[in-house]
Amino acid sequence: MPAVTVENPLALPRVAAPADAVARPVLSVTTAPSGFEGEGFPVRRAFAGIPYRRLDPFIMMDQMGEVEYAPGEPKGTPWHPHRGFETVTYIIDGIFDHQDSHGGGGTITNGDTQWMTAGSGLLHIEAPPEHLVVSGGLFHGLQLWVNLPAKDKMMAPRYQDIRAGSVQLLTSPDGGALLRVIAGELDGHKGPGITHTPITMIHATLAPGAEITLPWREDFNGLAYVLAGRGTVGAERRPIELGQAAVFGAGSSLTVGADTRQDSRTPDLEVVLLGGRPIREPMAHYGPFVMNTKEELLQAFEDYQKGRLGTIPAVHGMTESGPQD
């Protein structure tokens, strides 16, 4: 799990919650069910079973892989539409190509992020490059959906290409954790991702036995999802492991710790930390569209069917498929 690493974390800025911070309690720990997405790549539905009021402004998140593909096995998604939210694709291991009908696109690999604001609507495709399909190899990543407030749902689409080298790197006071701030900020240190809905997205790696207590905005919610390893969440040290998500309650700090002994699959605890200011608006979600009302959903489907969300570039020689998740 390379993403972004450093030889000496102690050379990085150090972050810790103040002594008088109010610890956020752990409200729940849930286990993500496994399934398949697109043309058949394996995913864990990270937030399945968590009420939206606790996720807001996040809608869903899939852990893609971790999977070692044999030659000919790598899979992606066909062309499909989106409207009304943002997709954040973070690749930890492997390579993924993206292209959309609004001109955005590119290739991302270890530690890169593609941030696509669907806004008023577009078509896009995500797939491994041909050479990876031929050779096979390791693939691991995340896709997060972030809601847009009603006032921004019909904004012009936008695409951000966030390279691994641009993320803000931080550490804990003892150097036991590497914190990669992809979007938002942590204790005044800003990540490169530009967001419409105020959020923070961090990928943290904790060495065995390490613990972090981070300052956390009180107007944000707090979520943690384990990508690999075992550890604890909250000051109460509630156990958590690969494929589990924790929801934190109110407070001004959150705590995550790594077990002293990890299993043979990973040397460290790998966890994604998310926080965002809830939008607190009605949400109507079906398939690839996230709007505020059922009528807006129906309009989105009609606009897609009539070609108003864009057309597939002719170079692909492909015809549109039906709506995908």
Side-chain angles (χ1 to χ4, degrees):
M1 188 175 290
V4 185
T5 59
V6 294
E7 290 187 7
N8 181 18
L10 289 173
L12 301 172
R14 305 181 195 189
V15 177
D20 61 352
V22 177
R24 287 176 173 251
V26 177
L27 301 181
S28 67
V29 173
T30 56
T31 300
S34 297
F36 293 91
E37 183 58 270
E39 295 173 340
F41 61 85
V43 299
R44 286 186 173 93
R45 305 291 192 188
F47 296 154
I50 301 174
Y52 177 65
R53 68 181 184 279
R54 292 183 174 176
L55 296 176
D56 185 14
F58 308 108
I59 301 163
M60 59 161 279
M61 186 168 72
D62 283 347
Q63 180 181 9
M64 305 180 294
E66 181 175 6
V67 58
E68 183 75 42
Y69 283 121
E73 283 189 340
K75 297 176 175 66
T77 65
W79 284 94
H80 58 282
H82 286 305
R83 172 181 279 180
F85 65 103
E86 300 183 286
T87 67
V88 182
T89 306
Y90 174 53
I91 297 300
I92 300 166
D93 287 293
I95 307 173
F96 226 30
D97 286 340
H98 167 94
Q99 185 176 4
D100 65 51
S101 57
H102 201 257
T107 299
I108 52 174
T109 187
N110 304 338
D112 296 335
T113 302
Q114 290 176 341
W115 199 295
M116 186 185 78
T117 304
S120 60
L122 44 62
L123 308 177
H124 81 139
I125 187 171
E126 298 159 308
E130 184 61 29
H131 68 84
L132 182 63
V133 175
V134 172
S135 67
L138 185 62
F139 182 79
H140 191 198
L142 288 175
Q143 185 168 98
L144 171 71
W145 288 15
V146 185
N147 204 1
L148 289 169
K151 65 181 180 63
D152 293 328
K153 283 193 177 293
M154 296 299 287
M155 66 173 289
R158 184 181 66 182
Y159 178 84
Q160 298 176 68
D161 190 12
I162 302 171
R163 292 295 154 183
S166 68
V167 302
Q168 174 68 63
L169 300 180
L170 307 169
T171 191
S172 53
D174 63 359
L178 175 60
L179 309 171
R180 308 166 185 86
V181 184
I182 297 168
E185 67 176 83
L186 181 63
D187 199 27
H189 301 278
K190 295 183 178 180
I194 300 170
T195 70
H196 289 278
T197 304
I199 71 166
T200 295
M201 180 179 181
I202 297 166
H203 173 194
T205 300
L206 282 71
E211 185 175 88
I212 52 174
T213 298
L214 302 176
W216 211 252
R217 281 180 52 166
E218 293 187 67
D219 60 334
F220 278 20
N221 60 1
L223 303 163
Y225 178 75
V226 176
L227 294 165
R230 297 191 303 262
T232 62
V233 284
E236 61 268 46
R237 294 183 171 84
R238 187 163 172 178
I240 194 169
E241 62 182 13
L242 166 65
Q244 292 187 320
V247 177
F248 292 88
S252 56
S253 71
L254 58 79
T255 298
V256 178
D259 284 0
T260 303
R261 297 183 64 181
Q262 298 293 327
D263 58 42
S264 60
R265 293 175 296 177
T266 179
D268 304 305
L269 174 68
E270 303 283 350
V271 59
V272 173
L273 302 174
L274 295 167
R277 189 169 68 203
I279 297 173
R280 295 193 175 96
E281 294 176 349
M283 184 185 70
H285 170 207
Y286 187 79
F289 305 123
V290 182
M291 305 303 292
N292 294 103
T293 67
K294 180 179 178 181
E295 291 72 23
E296 290 171 343
L297 279 182
L298 293 173
Q299 185 64 56
F301 274 105
E302 180 181 332
D303 289 346
Y304 167 55
Q305 290 166 350
K306 293 185 176 180
R308 297 171 184 151
L309 271 60
T311 57
I312 296 171
V315 67
H316 286 269
M318 298 170 62
T319 58
E320 292 186 22
S321 60
Q324 305 289 323
D325 286 342

